[in-house]
């Protein structure tokens, strides 16, 4: 049997600015602008540029919304906030045993 | 290979203006956005929309598509004639190569070999391959002990002539324990090949398959614990199946359905960034069927002997 490739949890080490940018096929500047505008968070706090799984998924979502709808970054941020809120509420419904439909 | 009618996908006329195409795409992108859509096939539809828009929103690609597809119908067997693309020059799709890898065979046959070329600006500097993203479905039990999975992906690979072509790529992957839903795991070097530089990485987003008794929230796991009415009422010592084996738990007397018993540290194990989650056993009282004559006699005797009304204003206990 061949040796399996080892998958590493992203959040063990976090992602650098370059890795986050590469992970959503955008430039470093794209990421920096959105962090400075408060649309993306950094896991490592204001000093270090370390990002988590969640940050990468959010950045990809922002990028897709901006592209598909030619949305400005703030509007994409608002949509992403609402989607995250929706996910939280759905999780609460699940927890309470209330079916989704 | 099946012919794809991109005009039909977007629901527009063949003579539609660029503006009409954009409007149709956005309207449908809103409808089929996988995060909000209630349609069952939203994700597949969104892929189709992206593919159609990638072609029809680009004047060169649209012109080439119109020429090659003249008279062809959706679903019809189709091969582009040799040299069909002579005289056209395609630029990027607006989608990354990694996303375009999810498009149909029809798309990659027509436009696939042009991917990775003609990227506007900085092409000489951007030599690292693109990162890819996929989802991986695991069982909650896998998060406790790690798992080995074989995954199959469509990826662009450089062929002998230096062009990118799509190929099926199978990976044997060891998933570490301690992963949970919504977290990413990374396979270094398993993305697109680089042009002179290193290949990109592959990110896998963890999802858990639904389980009849277990569900996870972050690293905390909830497991239903079926109890007989007398075990719940009188208290008992029971064996319960949990994701990492079985546990012996003491059920306090007077346990009602929905009561949670917490087993600290018995959720999904930590893996460096955080401690282990907790395991919650959620009591679920299961009634013996009254189809059994003995059970029926006991129920009837309780109904006669007990002054119990669960809807009563004072809790119904006598």
């Amino acid at each position: 049997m061949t040796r399996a490739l080892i998958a590493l949890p992203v959040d063990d080490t976090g992602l650098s600015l370059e890795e986050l940018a590469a992970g959503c096929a955008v430039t470093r500047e794209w990421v920096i602008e959105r962090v400075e505008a408060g649309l993306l968070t950094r896991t490592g706090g204001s000093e270090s540029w370390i990002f988590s799984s969640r940050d990468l998924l959010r950045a990809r979502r922002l990028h897709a919304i901006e592209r598909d709808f030619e949305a400005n970054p703030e509007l994409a941020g608002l949509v992403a906030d609402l989607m995250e809120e929706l996910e939280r509420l759905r999780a609460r419904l699940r927890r309470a045993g209330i079916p989704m439909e | 290979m099946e012919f794809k009618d991109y005009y039909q996908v977007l629901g527009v006329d063949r003579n539609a203006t660029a503006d009409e195409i954009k409007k149709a795409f956005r309207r449908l992108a809103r409808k089929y956005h996988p995060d909000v859509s209630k349609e069952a096939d939203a994700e597949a539809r969104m892929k189709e929309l992206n593919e159609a828009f990638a072609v029809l929103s680009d004047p060169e690609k649209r012109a080439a598509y119109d020429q090659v597809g003249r008279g062809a119908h959706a679903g019809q067997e189709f091969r582009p004639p040799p040299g069909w693309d002579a005289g056209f020059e395609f630029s990027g799709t607006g989608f990354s190569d990694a996303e375009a890898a999810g498009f149909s065979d029809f798309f990659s046959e027509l436009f696939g070999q042009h991917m990775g070329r003609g990227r506007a600006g900085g092409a000489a500097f951007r030599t690292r391959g693109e990162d890819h993203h996929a989802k991986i479905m695991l069982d909650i039990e896998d998060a406790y002990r790690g798992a080995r999975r074989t995954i199959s992906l469509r990826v662009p690979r450089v062929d002998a002539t230096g062009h990118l072509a799509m190929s099926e790529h199978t990976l044997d992957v060891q998933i570490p324990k301690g992963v949970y839903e919504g977290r990413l795991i990374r396979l270094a070097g398993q993305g697109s090949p680089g042009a002179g530089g290193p290949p990109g990485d592959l990110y896998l987003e963890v999802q858990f398959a639904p389980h009849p008794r277990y569900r996870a929230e972050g690293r905390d796991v909830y497991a239903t614990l079926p109890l007989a009415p007398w075990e719940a009422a009188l208290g008992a010592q029971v064996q319960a199946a949990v994701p990492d084996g079985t546990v012996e738990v003491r059920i306090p007397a007077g346990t009602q359905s929905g009561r949670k018993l917490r087993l600290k540290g018995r959720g999904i194990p930590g893996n460096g960034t955080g401690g282990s989650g907790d395991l919650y056993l959620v009591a679920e009282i299961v009634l013996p069927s009254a189809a059994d004559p003995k059970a029926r006699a006991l129920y009837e005797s309780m109904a006669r002997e007990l002054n119990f009304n669960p809807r009563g204003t004072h809790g119904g206990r006598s």
Side-chain angles (χ1 to χ4, degrees), chain B residues 260-293:
Chain B
K260 294 187 186 79
L261 304 169
R262 176 169 176 240
L263 300 178
K264 202 167 160 20
R266 294 295 295 268
I268 293 173
N271 59 358
T273 41
S276 300
D278 297 331
L279 176 66
Y280 294 89
L281 297 174
V282 186
E284 187 188 73
I285 296 168
V286 182
L287 298 177
S289 164
D292 177 72

Side-chain angles (χ1 to χ4, degrees), chain A residues 2 4-5 7-12 15 19 22-23 53-54 56-57 60-61 67-70 83 95, chain B residues 22 25-26 35 94-95 99 128 131 133 148 171-174 176 182-186 203 217 271 273:
Chain A
T2 52
L5 297 159
L8 294 175
V10 160
D11 297 297
D12 280 6
L15 297 167
E19 287 173 319
S53 280
R54 196 186 295 264
L56 175 53
L57 291 171
R60 280 171 52 77
R61 178 177 274 174
R67 182 197 60 203
D68 291 350
F69 300 100
E70 285 177 41
M83 284 176 174
R95 226 173 4 242
Chain B
K22 195 191 280 181
F25 169 73
R26 288 200 203 143
D35 289 319
F95 294 89
E99 280 168 306
R128 183 179 172 273
D131 292 343
H133 293 261
R148 198 163 165 169
L171 295 173
D172 194 14
V173 181
Q174 181 65 45
R183 293 287 136 161
L184 296 174
I185 49 181
R186 176 157 60 164
Y203 289 95
E217 273 169 40
N271 59 358
T273 41

Side-chain angles (χ1 to χ4, degrees), chain B residues 139-141 209-215 222-226 282 284:
Chain B
D139 294 321
I140 287 179
E141 291 93 327
H211 187 282
R213 283 192 52 233
Y214 305 142
R215 101 196 127 76
Y222 293 78
T224 56
L225 176 63
V282 186
E284 187 188 73

Side-chain angles (χ1 to χ4, degrees), chain B residues 3 38 50 60 71 97 99 133-134 156 161 166-167 233 241 255 263 267 270 296 299:
Chain B
F3 182 76
K38 300 246 187 302
N50 280 336
E60 284 283 343
D97 289 354
E99 280 168 306
H133 293 261
T161 60
M166 291 299 154
S167 67
T255 292
L263 300 178
R296 182 166 195 92
Y299 282 130

Side-chain angles (χ1 to χ4, degrees), chain B residues 114-195:
Chain B
H114 299 281
M115 286 168 27
R117 285 201 287 160
R119 217 184 281 287
F125 304 102
R126 225 181 118 185
T127 53
R128 183 179 172 273
E130 280 184 9
D131 292 343
H132 283 234
H133 293 261
K135 288 179 176 164
I136 188 162
M137 188 70 91
L138 300 176
D139 294 321
I140 287 179
E141 291 93 327
D142 293 333
Y144 278 78
R145 46 178 185 244
R148 198 163 165 169
R149 283 282 186 283
T150 302
I151 53 174
S152 205
L153 301 161
R154 274 166 64 86
V155 287
R157 286 277 175 247
V158 183
D159 67 17
T161 60
H163 286 157
L164 283 170
M166 291 299 154
S167 67
E168 196 80 10
H169 188 42
T170 303
L171 295 173
D172 194 14
V173 181
Q174 181 65 45
I175 315 285
K177 66 176 187 177
V179 297
Y180 55 99
E181 207 151 40
R183 293 287 136 161
L184 296 174
I185 49 181
R186 176 157 60 164
L187 287 159
Q190 296 300 323
S192 282

Side-chain angles (χ1 to χ4, degrees), chain B residues 3-247:
Chain B
F3 182 76
K4 291 254 173 195
D5 187 339
Y6 291 139
Y7 291 100
Q8 196 180 63
V9 170
L10 292 181
V12 294
D13 197 79
R14 289 192 171 262
N15 306 315
T17 63
D19 198 47
E20 285 164 346
I21 287 172
K22 195 191 280 181
K23 278 201 178 120
F25 169 73
R26 288 200 203 143
R27 188 166 44 78
L28 292 166
R30 210 189 115 243
K31 181 170 178 194
Y32 290 106
H33 198 292
D35 289 319
V36 285
S37 180
K38 300 246 187 302
E39 313 283 334
D41 58 345
E43 203 155 330
R45 283 298 302 266
M46 195 66 213
K47 236 176 225 176
E48 232 178 26
L49 292 176
N50 280 336
E51 177 177 331
F53 188 63
V55 174
L56 298 188
S57 64
D58 178 84
E60 284 283 343
K61 278 199 201 69
R62 185 179 174 187
Y65 171 76
D66 285 346
Q67 181 167 310
V68 76
R70 196 167 295 143
H73 300 288
Q76 169 187 327
E77 179 60 26
F78 180 82
R79 290 268 155 229
W84 69 277
D85 56 347
F88 291 104
E89 186 168 325
F90 304 116
S91 52
T93 55
F95 294 89
S96 69
D97 289 354
E99 280 168 306
F103 291 170
S104 69
D105 288 339
F106 175 74
F107 179 91
S108 47
E109 176 75 26
L110 291 189
F111 304 108
Q113 61 179 303
H114 299 281
M115 286 168 27
R117 285 201 287 160
R119 217 184 281 287
F125 304 102
R126 225 181 118 185
T127 53
R128 183 179 172 273
E130 280 184 9
D131 292 343
H132 283 234
H133 293 261
K135 288 179 176 164
I136 188 162
M137 188 70 91
L138 300 176
D139 294 321
I140 287 179
E141 291 93 327
D142 293 333
Y144 278 78
R145 46 178 185 244
R148 198 163 165 169
R149 283 282 186 283
T150 302
I151 53 174
S152 205
L153 301 161
R154 274 166 64 86
V155 287
R157 286 277 175 247
V158 183
D159 67 17
T161 60
H163 286 157
L164 283 170
M166 291 299 154
S167 67
E168 196 80 10
H169 188 42
T170 303
L171 295 173
D172 194 14
V173 181
Q174 181 65 45
I175 315 285
K177 66 176 187 177
V179 297
Y180 55 99
E181 207 151 40
R183 293 287 136 161
L184 296 174
I185 49 181
R186 176 157 60 164
L187 287 159
Q190 296 300 323
S192 282
D201 296 337
L202 170 63
Y203 289 95
L204 299 173
E205 184 183 344
V206 174
Q207 289 189 324
F208 286 140
H211 187 282
R213 283 192 52 233
Y214 305 142
R215 101 196 127 76
E217 273 169 40
R219 282 203 175 96
D220 291 338
V221 175
Y222 293 78
T224 56
L225 176 63
L227 294 174
W230 48 91
E231 290 172 334
L234 307 174
Q237 193 89 14
V238 301
Q239 294 265 346
V242 295
D244 60 345
T246 53
V247 286

